[in-house]
Amino acid sequence: MLQTARLDEAVEVSGWVKTKRGNKQVCFIALNDGSTIHNMQVVAETEHFPEELLKRVTTGAALRVKGLLVKSAGSGQATEVQARQITVLGDADPEKYPIQPKKHSLEFLRDNAHLRFRTNIFGAVFRVRHAMAFAIHDYFNARGFFYLHAPLITASDAEGAGEMFRVTTLDPLSPPLTADGQVDYKQDFFGKATSLTVSGQLEGELAAMALGKVYTFGPTFRAENSNTTRHLAEFWMVEPEMAFYDIRDNMDLAEDFLKHLIRYALDHCMDDLLYLSRRLQEEEKDRKAEERSAELIEKLNSVLDNPFQRLTYTEAVDVLKCSKANKNGKFQYPVDRWGVDLQSEHERYLVEKHFKRPVILTDYPAEIKAFYMKQNPDAKTVAAMDVLFPQIGEIIGGSQREENLDKLIRRMNEVGIPAESMSWYLDTRRFGSAAHSGFGLGFERLLLFVTGMGNIRDVIPFPRTPKNAEF
Ligand code: 4AD
Ligand code: MG
């Protein structure tokens, strides 16, 4: 409407009241229909409307307004609607409506997540979320990838981390038992123990070994008890999987993909990004200069301008071991030997302090990575790759896959995964095996970066975290 309607045309607009101000003669209503961060200014000359009606125009009320689109006399908007007819579709009692035209804390809005869409900030975040989802499909479609729907219910633990939510129809109080006193899952709905998936990768591999290039994009579930600003129990993951790609092709794709998405946000979401940037600066204005984060648009552009720094885990451990932060005991988890798993404090040190750009770490110790990764000739490391981003830490995890049947079975034995239970997965290595690779992008972590929001609970409509499944 703001973009397409012509001046002096009769228009009809529907939306929710953001604010109302004015005087005895005239009343200005800021109306928003959710399509953009910008409001439509509705001007109502009070003499044309019953006082009772205008009283019901309060923040949050739903209105339909018929009137004339005219050039705005005021500053702040090019056009406004001169109201001829106002209908209050739904009142919002100011005594009871929680979202008032003042600054609410993000915590308060999380408790009112059912209404937080009505705020400017969450309107912006969820419009950007949509744009990023669209851009992901667009990116892969344009490059010959096929969208694959991986199952959400599964009997296998793809990541082998044992963080799965059980899916069962057995009576929790008296489940059927086997002779040796274990729960008898043979009698469960699927005839075996099943859970919600932690990754669609294994199924993605099966499809890639026939369709060439595929990607999944769906909800993923992890019962890890991490109450951090970067973990959800239910999050969305994008998992491309490509036949005939080695680890280098995989890194090139990951870098190009992330840059494309960020460029797309800058090209298509600028109004919302500018709003989010201003809000962030407002929030941080009392902090010392060195503690403030980079301006959002600048930060997004800086990722586009620089190639990502690529180095091995071994090189990264050397950098960390010798770092001032490590020597001065600044790390909560000191880096004292090769083989330690890197924490987000280490990842962020590499990205924010040392290289000052996104980093792709490769060739991690096999011990700290999943069973399916391609074993390197050194017999210690695997062809893994993690992409690390400022403020976020790990945004992508991926690898080249072990294509050799014997090596894969040996590794599964070592980590205690019975090969018989995953015979279907191993068949891709039995028949027409070939090099292939893929990765997983945490969709909400991408959104944290693009929107500049600080808590992952604020970039998904209804967050699922330990002890929290409201709405
Ligand atoms: O590194 P992860 O565990 O990798 C996989 O699941 C592989 N199967 C991916 C693949 O190769 N196809 O997870 C991938 C990404 C992480 O880098 C992170 O961005 C995100 O998923 N992620 C989470 N995001 C939010 N909450 C959580 N609990 C997450 N766990 C992982
Ligand atoms: Mg990972």
Side-chain angles (χ1 to χ4, degrees):
M1 166 69 69
L2 285 168
Q3 276 163 10
T4 55
R6 269 187 302 236
L7 283 184
D8 302 319
E9 235 176 32
V11 290
E12 181 182 312
V13 291
S14 303
W16 294 269
V17 177
K18 288 277 175 187
T19 57
K20 182 179 75 170
R21 59 193 177 81
N23 51 38
K24 278 219 175 71
Q25 284 82 42
V26 61
C27 164
F28 299 100
I29 304 163
L31 201 65
N32 190 288
D33 69 355
S35 58
T36 134
I37 190 88
H38 301 296
N39 301 323
M40 178 65 95
Q41 169 147 287
V42 174
V43 185
E45 284 169 27
T46 51
E47 59 175 346
H48 299 314
F49 299 93
E51 204 183 323
E52 272 313 300
L53 178 92
L54 291 182
K55 259 201 200 143
R56 291 170 59 202
V57 176
T58 58
T59 297
L63 303 188
R64 182 161 58 229
V65 178
K66 290 184 180 171
L68 211 61
L69 191 75
V70 297
K71 204 163 169 239
S72 178
S75 63
Q77 63 280 317
T79 56
E80 61 194 22
V81 174
Q82 223 160 50
R84 295 273 182 272
Q85 192 190 333
I86 296 178
T87 314
V88 178
L89 303 172
D91 296 270
D93 183 349
E95 301 290 315
K96 297 189 183 132
Y97 184 58
I99 311 292
Q100 290 301 315
K102 61 164 193 167
K103 202 164 176 305
H104 293 293
S105 74
L106 293 173
E107 290 79 12
F108 171 84
L109 293 173
R110 230 169 274 148
D111 291 338
N112 289 276
H114 57 304
L115 291 171
R116 67 180 177 169
F117 299 102
R118 303 271 189 99
T119 62
N120 288 330
I121 182 166
F122 285 99
V125 164
F126 291 118
R127 279 188 296 271
V128 173
R129 187 177 167 111
H130 161 79
M132 289 292 90
F134 181 81
I136 285 165
H137 288 299
D138 194 42
Y139 179 88
F140 286 126
N141 183 56
R143 286 159 184 77
F145 284 67
F146 298 106
Y147 179 28
L148 181 80
H149 297 110
L152 298 192
I153 299 175
T154 173
S156 49
D157 182 354
E159 294 304 299
E163 294 165 333
M164 305 186 80
F165 289 102
R166 180 64 33 100
V167 174
T168 176
T169 53
L170 295 179
D171 179 351
L173 289 181
S174 58
L177 299 179
T178 57
D180 54 355
Q182 304 291 314
V183 175
D184 184 8
Y185 287 108
K186 284 214 174 68
Q187 298 188 45
D188 203 350
F189 189 90
F190 295 106
K192 53 166 71 170
T194 50
S195 305
L196 293 175
T197 189
V198 294
S199 159
Q201 176 196 322
L202 303 187
E203 291 84 0
E205 284 187 53
L206 308 182
M209 294 307 280
L211 294 164
K213 295 189 285 188
V214 301
Y215 69 104
T216 69
F217 183 7
T220 313
F221 308 89
R222 295 199 183 173
E224 51 187 332
N225 205 351
S226 346
N227 238 320
T228 79
T229 54
R230 290 167 298 101
H231 287 90
L232 291 164
E234 176 181 292
F235 64 98
W236 286 63
M237 185 153 53
V238 187
E239 295 185 274
E241 190 71 33
M242 298 73 64
F244 315 119
Y245 269 48
D246 67 12
I247 183 82
R248 228 146 294 281
D249 302 322
N250 205 22
M251 284 193 273
D252 291 344
L253 180 74
E255 180 166 347
D256 185 64
F257 178 50
L258 286 168
K259 286 180 169 169
H260 176 90
L261 296 180
I262 291 165
R263 202 173 301 117
Y264 189 95
L266 288 165
D267 288 347
H268 294 86
C269 307
M270 195 44 108
D271 287 351
D272 287 321
L273 294 181
L274 282 173
Y275 176 84
L276 291 165
S277 165
R278 276 197 303 274
R279 191 202 138 265
L280 215 69
Q281 285 177 311
E282 180 71 17
E283 195 117 292
E284 296 191 339
K285 71 176 188 297
D286 298 330
R287 288 200 200 157
K288 280 188 252 155
E290 64 271 21
E291 287 171 9
R292 273 179 235 152
S293 43
E295 192 278 324
L296 183 61
I297 313 289
E298 239 170 72
K299 188 185 77 173
L300 297 179
N301 271 311
S302 79
V303 169
L304 300 184
D305 296 342
N306 296 308
F308 295 2
Q309 180 73 43
R310 300 181 182 190
L311 73 161
T312 65
Y313 165 92
T314 304
E315 289 163 338
V317 164
D318 284 340
V319 170
L320 290 166
K321 257 208 282 199
C322 302
S323 68
K324 270 205 192 113
N326 197 46
K327 288 181 177 153
N328 298 343
K330 289 268 167 62
F331 289 141
Q332 194 189 343
Y333 299 90
V335 179
D336 47 11
R337 62 182 174 85
W338 191 92
V340 293
D341 204 356
L342 299 183
Q343 306 294 326
S344 94
E345 58 177 345
H346 307 131
E347 297 171 341
R348 292 186 56 178
Y349 177 87
L350 291 170
V351 173
E352 292 164 31
K353 297 273 182 332
H354 193 80
F355 293 109
K356 300 195 181 1
R357 61 175 69 182
V359 168
I360 309 184
L361 280 191
T362 59
D363 304 295
Y364 282 74
E367 294 311 307
I368 58 174
K369 289 292 182 188
F371 72 93
Y372 51 70
M373 296 192 181
K374 185 174 176 61
Q375 298 158 33
N376 284 331
D378 65 10
K380 283 195 322 194
T381 62
V382 286
M385 56 168 231
D386 277 11
V387 182
L388 315 179
F389 255 43
Q391 266 104 52
I392 312 291
E394 180 190 337
I395 194 165
I396 278 181
S399 75
Q400 186 169 338
R401 318 307 188 190
E402 182 54 71
E403 80 233 41
N404 179 289
L405 180 66
D406 296 333
K407 285 188 184 170
L408 186 54
I409 292 181
R410 211 174 311 128
R411 185 69 192 143
M412 287 167 74
N413 284 337
E414 278 168 20
V415 298
I417 302 171
E420 322 76 76
S421 71
M422 292 186 71
S423 189
W424 51 272
Y425 179 69
L426 294 171
D427 268 359
T428 50
R429 277 65 170 176
R430 289 194 182 104
F431 311 114
S433 188
H436 61 288
S437 301
F439 61 80
L441 166 70
F443 186 51
E444 285 76 19
R445 295 213 182 153
L446 170 77
L447 289 172
L448 279 179
F449 185 73
V450 171
T451 61
M453 298 296 284
N455 192 318
I456 200 162
R457 294 166 179 80
D458 296 333
V459 294
I460 188 164
F462 301 105
R464 300 288 179 254
T465 49
K467 302 277 179 289
N468 171 37
E470 191 71 35
F471 312 109

